[in-house]
Amino acid sequence: MSAPIDNLKEYSQEELAAQPIGAWTGQAYRRVVGAIRGQLAVENLTQPHWWTVNHASGAPATWTRATLTDRLTPYDDQNTDFDAIYDDLIARGWLTEDATGGMTLTEEGEAGRLRARERNLRVHHQTHEGITEADFVTTINVLRRMVANLGGDGNLPEDPK
């Protein structure tokens, strides 16, 4: 990962207010998600793998293929075949399915999830460098409002646990 740039230029309030939000949110998305995907790739994981192991870890035997696919599809921008993700994790020995279809992370899967989590935390810390918690919260609230203004759901995703 590259070091943060400490030489950001200063601009007037008017110059910043005139910036195209789509261009900046798009660039931020590509940079943040690219960094996360790069770190997950070290463990031979994709984001859908990551989402799956986190859900299975947080609620063992609760998620079935169908319920987890329904939960994750709105976040997927890669046309993911989620059954292939589940099958891959099962073949690795990271995930099991019980008789009712409930998926549970194995010890090996949890160890892999924790390794990937550490890598993702590095991206998280780099992303937040030089940003106060108050500024981050304001940013999230502004983006939530923009999403809601354009007809989307500006609420935080429900925690299934």
Side-chain angles (χ1 to χ4, degrees):
M1 293 186 300
S2 60
I5 297 174
D6 292 328
N7 61 349
L8 288 175
K9 292 182 182 178
E10 292 291 323
Y11 296 96
S12 71
Q13 186 107 8
E14 294 77 24
E15 288 174 300
L16 293 170
Q19 290 296 298
I21 189 68
W24 285 104
T25 56
Q27 187 167 169
Y29 171 82
R30 287 186 296 278
R31 294 286 179 163
V32 170
V33 171
I36 290 168
R37 288 177 179 169
Q39 289 300 308
L40 289 171
V42 173
E43 290 290 333
N44 198 26
L45 299 173
T46 64
Q47 271 187 303
H49 283 98
W50 174 243
W51 301 332
T52 300
V53 297
N54 276 300
H55 280 74
S57 176
T62 302
W63 295 100
T64 64
R65 288 174 182 249
T67 59
L68 190 53
T69 299
D70 285 346
R71 168 73 172 190
L72 299 178
T73 298
Y75 304 100
D76 181 38
D77 65 354
Q78 303 173 73
N79 297 316
T80 299
D81 176 353
F82 283 99
D83 281 322
I85 297 295
Y86 309 142
D87 290 342
D88 178 58
L89 290 168
I90 290 167
R92 291 181 194 206
W94 285 32
L95 192 67
T96 61
E97 282 180 288
D98 64 24
T100 65
M103 296 185 287
T104 301
L105 217 52
T106 65
E107 284 184 33
E108 187 176 347
E110 180 63 9
R113 186 188 76 80
L114 292 174
R115 286 191 307 272
R117 182 176 180 270
E118 283 303 311
R119 293 181 179 287
N120 283 349
L121 282 174
R122 289 183 215 146
V123 173
H124 174 83
H125 293 303
Q126 182 181 9
T127 302
H128 286 243
E129 227 173 279
I131 301 169
T132 66
E133 183 176 300
D135 283 348
F136 184 79
V137 168
T138 297
T139 301
I140 295 300
N141 280 326
V142 167
L143 292 171
R144 290 178 55 228
R145 171 51 55 200
M146 288 179 171
V147 167
N149 287 349
L150 295 171
D153 183 356
N155 295 314
L156 299 179
E158 291 184 31
D159 187 354
K161 298 175 198 169

